[in-house]
Amino acid sequence: MPELPEVEVIRLGLEKKLVQATIQSVEVLNPKSFQGDASLIQNQTITAVWRRAKILGIDLKDGHTVLVHLKMSGQLVFIDSPNSERFIGGHPTLDMFGDLPNKSTRVIFTITRLGKTSYLYFNDQRKFGWVKVVQNSTLRLRSGREFKIQNFLKNLGPEPLDKDFTWQILRQQLQRHKNLPVKVALMDQAVLAGIGNIYASESLFLAHLDPRKKVSLLTDANYQNLASGIVQALKLSIKHGGSSRANFVNALGQKGYFLDFAFVYGKNGEPCKTCQTPIVKITQAGRGTYYCPKCQS
DNA sequence: CACTTGACCTGTCCGC
DNA sequence: TGCGGACAGGTCAAGT
């Protein structure tokens, strides 16, 4: 589920709640969801919450970091006290959500701050996601940022929301896959970090680019349009709280509303918002791709 | 090496 | 209603 915007929305929420707070204890309900020694992070103060690609990092004062990957159905929900904070901010809480923990809860962190106790729930219906405790020292500096290269992570491409991201960088990165359709190439995390199935389709629509077009056939104008389409789609989604197709909720358990503004994702058969032509769904590399056959020719 | 497919899980939705 | 199958935002490993 979560791609870059969803993970960033969670990060923004968690940062407010967790920095300067302390992890008092950790309860692992599903052992496969948790790697590393949970006892290492107990009674540790949280110093930062960061994101790289679709991975969240929670830094602790003593030099450990808790990494979280939500994969398809993960959630990280912070609750001060039952049935309170989830209703602030003008958006309703998911009705299905109910009280936590629920049957999808895999890990529970007990958090204390200023003498008050709260809980952080890692829920993950499909059990693909994970929480992992590592040493900061295993996270290497790269390009002046605190990004990690661990075995379980292949090399990640540039962050598309970095200030120095340009269409030339996009062009250079896509050259890794000259013979692939541009949509498939875009989803390789080594090309760009954080683009998944929703934002690949949406970015290509904004760029008026056929998702089936091979990378080798792209023009500089295509790259320029695509680079700006990517940034536009990601920023718009963050602004609307991310995409909640099924499971996604932010750090307070609230849904995101980007899909209300989407042009093509999940819209097959519906008229294109620009030209009224029905949106088409095809399969590329085993994943659904949505596009407008007229606007993206 | 480049690329595709299956596997990992649980849940939902759609057609018969 | 019930049941089987397809499908779901991600990423590895194995296969072609």
Side-chain angles (χ1 to χ4, degrees):
Chain A
M1 98 188 236
E3 305 180 31
L4 186 155
E6 288 74 33
V7 181
E8 181 62 17
V9 165
I10 290 172
R11 189 197 72 76
L12 287 164
L14 286 184
E15 186 171 51
K16 291 179 192 148
K17 295 293 185 180
L18 293 185
V19 173
Q20 299 303 328
T22 297
I23 298 176
Q24 187 178 76
S25 61
V26 182
E27 185 180 355
V28 178
L29 304 179
N30 180 50
K32 292 185 84 171
S33 300
F34 194 98
Q35 302 162 36
D37 186 349
S39 70
L40 289 174
I41 60 174
Q42 305 204 355
N43 300 311
Q44 290 297 322
T45 299
I46 293 164
T47 57
V49 181
W50 51 268
R51 178 192 61 77
R52 168 67 168 139
K54 301 168 187 169
I55 295 162
L56 275 171
I58 300 170
D59 284 344
L60 305 177
K61 206 165 191 173
D62 78 335
H64 284 98
T65 293
V66 181
L67 299 174
V68 182
H69 200 310
L70 301 169
K71 291 289 181 80
M72 297 281 260
S73 60
Q75 304 172 329
L76 273 176
V77 182
F78 181 95
I79 297 188
D80 278 327
S81 56
N83 303 318
S84 63
E85 299 260 352
R86 284 179 288 157
F87 294 90
I88 66 173
H91 288 309
T93 304
L94 279 180
D95 288 336
M96 57 167 269
F97 218 55
D99 286 330
L100 288 172
N102 61 27
K103 63 181 175 182
S104 292
T105 302
R106 311 302 177 195
V107 182
I108 303 173
F109 299 86
T110 302
I111 307 290
T112 56
R113 184 177 180 181
L114 304 175
K116 189 175 157 194
T117 298
S118 315
Y119 300 92
L120 178 64
Y121 298 93
F122 174 66
N123 307 318
D124 185 22
Q125 174 189 106
R126 294 174 72 176
K127 300 182 182 173
F128 291 168
W130 43 253
V131 176
K132 180 173 177 126
V133 177
V134 299
Q135 293 269 3
N136 270 343
S137 58
T138 64
L139 310 179
R140 304 213 192 117
L141 286 176
R142 185 179 178 187
S143 306
R145 298 180 203 96
E146 50 190 276
F147 300 153
K148 92 192 34 2
I149 308 170
Q150 286 236 331
N151 321 343
F152 61 89
L153 286 178
K154 55 184 170 179
N155 291 330
L156 291 169
E159 289 282 333
L161 293 187
D162 270 5
K163 291 190 202 78
D164 47 4
F165 175 65
T166 62
W167 68 269
Q168 290 96 336
I169 290 174
L170 176 64
R171 180 178 63 184
Q172 179 192 340
Q173 289 298 108
L174 281 170
Q175 297 312 306
R176 290 165 166 265
H177 302 298
K178 290 187 170 63
N179 293 315
L180 276 183
V182 58
K183 190 266 188 171
V184 177
L186 256 191
M187 289 181 58
D188 179 354
Q189 300 299 294
V191 169
L192 275 192
I195 309 286
N197 213 31
I198 294 178
Y199 301 100
S201 283
E202 290 299 314
S203 302
L204 286 162
F205 177 86
L206 293 173
H208 309 293
L209 195 48
D210 189 326
R212 300 166 300 177
K213 192 167 183 178
K214 281 193 177 184
V215 168
S216 60
L217 300 177
L218 297 181
T219 65
D220 281 357
N222 288 153
Y223 286 116
Q224 288 162 21
N225 291 334
L226 184 53
S228 68
I230 289 166
V231 172
Q232 192 183 333
L234 296 177
K235 284 188 174 172
L236 185 68
S237 181
I238 292 171
K239 180 178 165 186
H240 290 293
S243 300
S244 293
R245 183 202 170 93
N247 293 291
F248 173 73
V249 292
N250 68 16
L252 300 182
Q254 301 157 335
K255 295 168 74 166
Y257 293 88
F258 172 74
L259 289 181
D260 293 349
F261 302 86
F263 287 96
V264 290
Y265 183 82
K267 309 271 183 203
N268 56 109
E270 296 180 32
C272 171
K273 290 179 178 176
T274 300
C275 75
Q276 314 305 315
T277 302
I279 300 301
V280 170
K281 181 186 182 185
I282 59 174
T283 297
Q284 294 181 290
R287 314 296 306 280
T289 299
Y290 302 83
Y291 71 105
C292 171
K294 187 173 177 191
C295 294
Q296 297 172 258
S297 57

